[in-house]
Amino acid sequence: MTDAPLPSFGPSPDHVELQQWLHTFAAEVIRPAAAEWDEKEEFPWPVVEEAAKVGIYSLDFFATQSFDPTGLGIPIFMEEVFWGDAGIGLSIVGTALAAAGLASNGTPEQLAEWAPEMFGEPGDLKIAAFCSSEPDAGSDVGAMRTRATYDEATDEWVLNGTKTWATNGGLADVHLVTAVVDPDLRTRGQASFIVPPGTKGLSQGQKFHKHGIRASHTAEVVLDQVRVPGRCLLGGKEKLDARLARAREGASTGGANASMATFERTRPAVGAQAVGIARAAYETALDYAKTREQFGKPIIENQGVAFQLADMATQIDAARLLVWRASWKAATGGSFDKAEGSMSKLFAGETAIKVTGQAMQILGGNGFTREYPVERWARDARIYTIFEGTSEIQRLVIARTVSGAPIR
């Protein structure tokens, strides 16, 4: 035996400081406002403004956490904010999804021009929307119908179609829209476009009134002869033309693998959101079980309750470790040989549903009322087996990856 210090396993002191700072903001600003904005079903501008004032809602903050060499910055951020409230959390992070699409596909010049326009600054907030899903094209992105046609005479792209399930859709200052430029090439014939603020022809369609995450604005985005300058094609036309030419010749453009790799790297962040919701419900149930007395003793002394709490704690820790592993792989360039990103999102999403349901059961009738936040967390959790790839899609991705078989 030696006296050498043990190697670290877990977050660094900087990560702990980040977690504590975010937890304080979530506890003091997000949670007290959560019920109000859930009831209103509106974008929580005052709360996002407070997040901007302290530096959480900003391009610099998201960029710093995204480039954390350990990969833990984003999942720690997501867990704490969504521990506060999932609807408000999605309003804070929704713009980052569009910014990530810009960073992934845009040129450095496009990133420099449009990223600041997506966030604005305290007192002059901006928000952005990422528009990909369509009424008939959710998980099946190959069924996308929104078209983009190039007008060579004016060097403009003309967009037509309808997007759905867009976070911040129609409300946003900047919309990032995925469209088909060559229908014959299916997913390989798609490109992404920036639609600047005030562009004619873009409008908000139906606003969705949802079961959960109700403080997050979700709506259709209608594109009717929307004309955007050529410079708004992410990556530029030269790069697009070269990619399309390779696809027409039958050569691989790397599109399918690139898309898979992107999803594997982004799904852990969604998993971290689910972990935050589950942890919030577990902590409330644990506190309740310690203080609620029945038949002369706290209900936590009943094995049936205690064992539920033991399972909840175990599942939350397992989900967090899956999220952290996948996030670390993404940050360090590791390969996802078993679809570890999809594993983390699948397990964390289903854990959130199970744990919030168990928490409601432990609270009994109180858990079913709006006097306690557990019922809201149970509603919020339900989306995590649906959006960003349903549980069925995650299982399909994992099964294909581990088996190598074209499972359908």
Side-chain angles (χ1 to χ4, degrees), residues 297-345:
K297 63 181 180 181
I299 62 173
I300 199 170
E301 294 183 19
N302 296 309
Q303 190 179 83
V305 172
F307 277 16
Q308 284 194 74
L309 290 163
D311 286 343
M312 294 158 75
T314 301
Q315 289 157 359
I316 291 168
D317 270 12
R320 182 183 297 110
L321 288 170
L322 282 170
V323 165
W324 283 12
R325 179 184 67 170
S327 301
W328 173 78
K329 276 180 171 283
T332 58
S335 60
F336 292 84
D337 299 326
K338 293 184 289 187
E340 290 90 344
S342 292
M343 283 184 177
S344 69
K345 196 270 181 181

Side-chain angles (χ1 to χ4, degrees), residues 266-302:
T266 58
R267 281 172 175 158
V270 181
Q273 298 172 11
V275 172
I277 298 170
R279 195 186 101 214
Y282 162 72
E283 290 175 356
T284 297
L286 178 62
D287 290 342
Y288 185 88
K290 288 179 178 179
T291 57
R292 172 67 166 172
E293 290 193 2
Q294 290 287 278
F295 305 105
K297 63 181 180 181
I299 62 173
I300 199 170
E301 294 183 19
N302 296 309

